[in-house]
């Protein structure tokens, strides 16, 4: 799917001091990442703190992103969970008219088997009116979808068009990429291993770090995809410390601290998450000098 190649960003949800969605900051961030050269935007992904948002707030977040985007780049929406029927119901109840695809995470907490993961996504694919992006992130969900299941789903369902592979496991990535699946897009979901996955045949990334560094990250991916290894590697090595600091105390605390340092939003997060520590904020500030 051409619209999903290159660098996508999974946007944060900025909050005000009184814990409301900061729509002004969110619109500013949309402009910032598009001006920085990202190819597409993901609303309500993991980085958005979606589990702490009400239905009304999710609608507000989507409305703000849609209006700020002004149809400049493709939009993807995150709709996933650990109750298959509830995910399908959410898809049916959501206005999808401004989105090109749905990003759906592997079920968390209940730890399904590989057969369970296949059945979960098969059921969603049968009910999804938009193309579906599988999202494997074992560090958050406690379960990792095998390459075999990803490949099987891609082959059996034409509307399963991509995977966001966030395991950071390059062997798993290679097992998917070696299949050279027709009309299937491989996207990294792990910022640190994005460039190696591009070298192996991946088409891009859904990134966190690129929210704060859209030009550097999207240039890195573009250079990697076009074979300019020297320039791609230079950018990768410049970004390594920033990637490390972004995830040092969890996501999105780190990326919000970076965005706050750049004057794009406040660093507030919602419980049970807490803001980056003062020591991490100091490290982040120093890394920007």
């Amino acid at each position: 799917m051409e619209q999903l190649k290159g660098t996508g960003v999974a946007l944060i949800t900025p909050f005000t001091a009184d814990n409301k969605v900061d729509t002004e900051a969110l619109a500013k961030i949309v402009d910032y990442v598009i001006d920085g050269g990202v190819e597409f935007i993901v609303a309500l992904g993991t980085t958005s703190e979606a589990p702490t948002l009400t239905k009304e707030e999710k609608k507000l977040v989507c409305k703000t992103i849609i209006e700020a985007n002004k149809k400049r780049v493709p939009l993807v929406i995150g709709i996933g969970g650990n109750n298959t029927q509830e995910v399908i119901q959410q898809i049916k109840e959501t206005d999808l008219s401004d989105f090109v695809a749905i990003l759906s995470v592997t079920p968390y907490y209940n730890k399904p088997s590989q057969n369970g993961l296949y059945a979960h996504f098969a059921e969603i694919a049968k009910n999804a009116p938009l193309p579906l992006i599988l999202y494997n992130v074992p560090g958050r969900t406690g379960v990792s979808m095998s390459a075999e299941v990803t490949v099987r789903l891609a082959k059996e369902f034409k509307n399963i068009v991509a995977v966001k592979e966030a395991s950071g496991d390059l062997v798993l990535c290679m097992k998917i990429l070696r299949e050279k699946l027709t009309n299937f897009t491989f996207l990294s979901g792990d910022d640190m291993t994005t460039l190696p996955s591009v070298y192996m045949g991946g088409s891009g990334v859904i990134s966190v770090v690129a929210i704060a560094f859209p030009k550097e990250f999207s240039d890195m991916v573009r250079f990697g995809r076009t074979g300019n290894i020297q320039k791609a590697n230079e950018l990768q090595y410049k970004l390594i410390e920033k990637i490390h600091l972004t995830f040092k105390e969890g996501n999105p605390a780190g990326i919000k601290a970076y965005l706050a340092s750049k004057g794009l939003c406040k660093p507030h997060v919602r419980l049970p998450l807490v803001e980056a520590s003062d020591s991490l904020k100091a490290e982040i500030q120093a890394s920007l000098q």
Side-chain angles (χ1 to χ4, degrees):
M1 192 169 174
E2 285 301 317
Q3 291 167 298
L4 299 176
K5 291 184 177 174
T7 298
V9 286
L11 288 186
I12 63 153
T13 303
F15 299 116
T16 60
D18 59 352
N19 206 28
K20 293 196 167 58
V21 174
D22 189 341
T23 54
E24 189 177 328
L26 182 54
K28 194 192 300 184
I29 291 166
V30 170
D31 283 337
Y32 178 73
V33 297
I34 293 174
D35 291 345
V38 305
E39 276 85 8
F40 63 98
I41 285 172
V42 178
L44 302 180
T46 301
T47 308
S48 74
E49 299 175 71
T52 70
L53 299 174
T54 66
K55 281 186 180 180
E56 290 71 26
E57 286 174 329
K58 287 179 181 178
K59 287 179 183 176
L60 178 61
V61 165
C62 288
K63 180 174 182 283
T64 303
I65 292 170
I66 289 163
E67 290 178 356
N69 180 45
K70 299 184 179 74
K71 299 188 184 296
R72 287 177 287 175
V73 298
L75 299 178
V76 173
I77 185 169
I79 306 177
N82 60 353
N83 177 341
T84 309
Q85 291 309 313
E86 175 63 22
V87 173
I88 292 166
Q89 192 60 34
Q90 280 185 51
I91 289 170
K92 288 177 178 176
E93 291 173 357
T94 303
D95 181 0
L96 301 170
S97 52
D98 289 286
F99 298 95
V100 300
I102 295 165
L103 175 70
S104 199
V105 70
T106 51
Y108 41 84
Y109 188 73
N110 38 18
K111 297 183 82 169
S113 67
Q114 294 302 312
N115 286 339
L117 290 170
Y118 169 83
H120 171 79
F121 283 119
E123 202 62 30
I124 292 171
K126 291 171 193 170
N127 289 276
L130 286 182
L132 194 64
I133 306 168
L134 309 174
Y135 178 17
N136 187 42
V137 57
R140 281 188 177 273
T141 64
V143 64
S144 185
M145 186 157 63
S146 69
E148 290 76 17
V149 170
T150 298
V151 169
R152 182 184 172 194
L153 286 163
K155 286 179 175 177
E156 292 183 14
F157 296 93
K158 287 183 179 176
N159 61 333
I160 294 180
V161 298
V163 64
K164 177 185 177 184
E165 179 46 66
S167 64
D169 180 347
L170 288 174
V171 174
L172 194 159
C173 296
M174 282 191 283
K175 286 179 178 177
I176 298 170
L177 286 162
R178 72 179 174 185
E179 297 291 328
K180 293 183 168 49
L181 296 162
T182 309
N183 301 321
F184 188 74
T185 301
F186 182 96
L187 298 167
S188 173
D190 179 68
D191 284 333
M192 196 67 88
T193 59
T194 291
L195 190 57
S197 77
V198 167
Y199 289 156
M200 295 186 303
S203 296
V205 63
I206 295 176
S207 172
V208 175
V209 172
I211 311 170
F213 303 97
K215 184 177 190 318
E216 296 92 327
F217 211 98
S218 53
D219 279 352
M220 178 190 77
V221 172
R222 274 191 284 272
F223 286 135
R225 292 186 69 213
T226 54
N228 194 331
I229 292 172
Q230 183 180 340
K231 285 191 174 178
N233 287 354
E234 283 173 9
L235 286 166
Q236 165 85 351
Y237 295 135
K238 283 180 183 175
L239 285 166
I240 277 179
E241 182 61 15
K242 295 178 176 72
I243 295 169
H244 168 67
L245 292 175
T246 295
F247 296 101
K248 188 175 181 180
E249 292 181 6
N251 182 38
I255 195 64
K256 283 191 169 183
Y258 263 117
L259 295 168
S261 292
K262 287 172 168 269
L264 288 161
C265 69
K266 300 297 183 189
H268 310 309
V269 293
R270 278 187 175 170
L271 289 170
L273 301 184
V274 293
E275 280 184 34
S277 64
D278 289 343
S279 59
L280 178 57
K281 287 178 181 176
E283 285 185 88
I284 282 170
Q285 194 64 49
S287 76
L288 292 170
Q289 303 308 317

